């Protein structure tokens, strides 16, 4: 199932930048809260990578801090040995998202499609709630993904009848598994929760 974010905003001109500020103010404004920020390099200690090597694959994925205050998820995707994914995720802790309707990701991608993942307690590594996150190469974007778009999957297969309970969310992550071999990079600048009371 190809699930696309309902909003993607690129910053390619001054005129567009003004529009972005106005749109972001309406979307985020005071009714939002910061969930993830990488202003300080030590914040990366709360993240770790899981690649297809756990299943015999040969993809390489890692992350580092950037000069613009972000987390750079980068590596090389390989389809050898039935592999084909690389991922990063935050360590488990309560995120208090019961009052939110979705997540706003500020990121700079490479034109490839990534997956945003959410985990609750007692969920295995291969099981997560997932939503598709396409990117535009080289542009900073603000991508809003409503929680209604996330679907529970296990080993890439859809599990029906188990909607996401936002109060249970403990971890956030990103995966590249688009079946295209080669290098990838995704810079995550911040993740905010958009609260339910917003118009």
């Amino acid at each position: 199932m190809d699930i696309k974010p309902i909003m993607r905003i690129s910053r390619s001109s001054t005129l567009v930048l003004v529009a972005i500020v106005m749109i972001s103010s309406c979307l985020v404004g005071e009714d939002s809260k910061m969930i993830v920020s990488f202003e300080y390099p030590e914040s990366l200690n709360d993240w770790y990578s899981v690649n297809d090597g756990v299943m015999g694959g040969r993809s390489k994925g890692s992350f580092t801090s950037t000069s613009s205050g972000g987390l750079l998820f980068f590596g090389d995707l390989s389809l050898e040995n039935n592999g084909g994914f690389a991922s990063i995720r935050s360590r488990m802790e309560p995120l208090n998202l019961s009052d939110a309707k979705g997540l706003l990701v500020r990121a700079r991608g490479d034109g490839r499609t990534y997956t945003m993942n959410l985990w609750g307690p007692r969920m295995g590594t291969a099981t997560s709630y997932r939503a598709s996150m396409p990117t535009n190469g080289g542009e900073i974007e603000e991508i809003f993904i409503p929680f209604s778009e996330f679907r529970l999957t296990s080993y890439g297969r859809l599990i029906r009848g188990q909607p996401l309970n936002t109060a249970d969310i403990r971890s956030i992550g990103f995966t590249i598994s688009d079946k295209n071999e080669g290098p990838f990079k995704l810079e995550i600048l911040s993740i905010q929760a958009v609260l339910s009371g917003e118009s």
Side-chain angles (χ1 to χ4, degrees), residues 63-129:
F63 60 90
T64 188
S65 60
T66 67
S67 59
S68 52
L71 177 153
L72 181 65
F73 173 38
F74 68 97
D76 192 88
L77 196 68
S78 171
L79 303 181
E80 291 186 44
N81 292 351
N82 296 315
F85 80 86
S87 69
I88 56 172
R89 61 194 67 181
S90 65
R91 300 190 186 280
M92 287 281 190
E93 64 174 339
L95 296 176
N96 189 25
L97 297 178
S98 58
D99 56 349
K101 65 180 180 181
L103 296 173
L104 186 68
V105 183
R106 187 166 180 263
R108 189 198 323 264
D110 54 5
R112 297 180 69 163
T113 296
Y114 294 80
T115 299
M116 191 173 192
N117 306 278
L118 304 175
W119 286 270
R122 298 176 298 280
M123 290 178 64
T125 298
T127 302
S128 67
Y129 287 88

Side-chain angles (χ1 to χ4, degrees), residues 21-169:
V21 171
M22 295 175 64
I23 293 171
S24 296
S25 296
C26 294
L27 179 62
V28 181
E30 297 180 355
D31 294 324
S32 68
K33 57 185 176 184
M34 186 67 70
I35 301 302
V36 175
S37 176
F38 300 104
E39 296 178 65
Y40 304 102
E42 55 267 26
S43 63
L44 271 65
N45 294 335
D46 296 327
W47 288 70
Y48 64 103
S49 59
V50 177
N51 301 319
D52 59 17
V54 299
M55 302 172 63
R58 296 186 177 178
S59 296
K60 298 178 181 178
S62 188
F63 60 90
T64 188
S65 60
T66 67
S67 59
S68 52
L71 177 153
L72 181 65
F73 173 38
F74 68 97
D76 192 88
L77 196 68
S78 171
L79 303 181
E80 291 186 44
N81 292 351
N82 296 315
F85 80 86
S87 69
I88 56 172
R89 61 194 67 181
S90 65
R91 300 190 186 280
M92 287 281 190
E93 64 174 339
L95 296 176
N96 189 25
L97 297 178
S98 58
D99 56 349
K101 65 180 180 181
L103 296 173
L104 186 68
V105 183
R106 187 166 180 263
R108 189 198 323 264
D110 54 5
R112 297 180 69 163
T113 296
Y114 294 80
T115 299
M116 191 173 192
N117 306 278
L118 304 175
W119 286 270
R122 298 176 298 280
M123 290 178 64
T125 298
T127 302
S128 67
Y129 287 88
R130 306 177 61 176
S132 180
M133 196 181 82
T135 66
N136 290 323
E139 298 180 350
I140 293 179
E141 307 170 85
E142 291 181 341
I143 307 168
F144 174 60
I145 309 177
F147 287 132
S148 60
E149 297 295 322
F150 285 86
R151 300 290 182 269
L152 183 62
T153 65
S154 182
Y155 293 96
R157 295 184 179 182
L158 181 65
I159 300 176
R160 300 184 184 276
Q162 297 190 44
L164 174 66
N165 182 351
T166 57
D168 285 342
I169 298 173

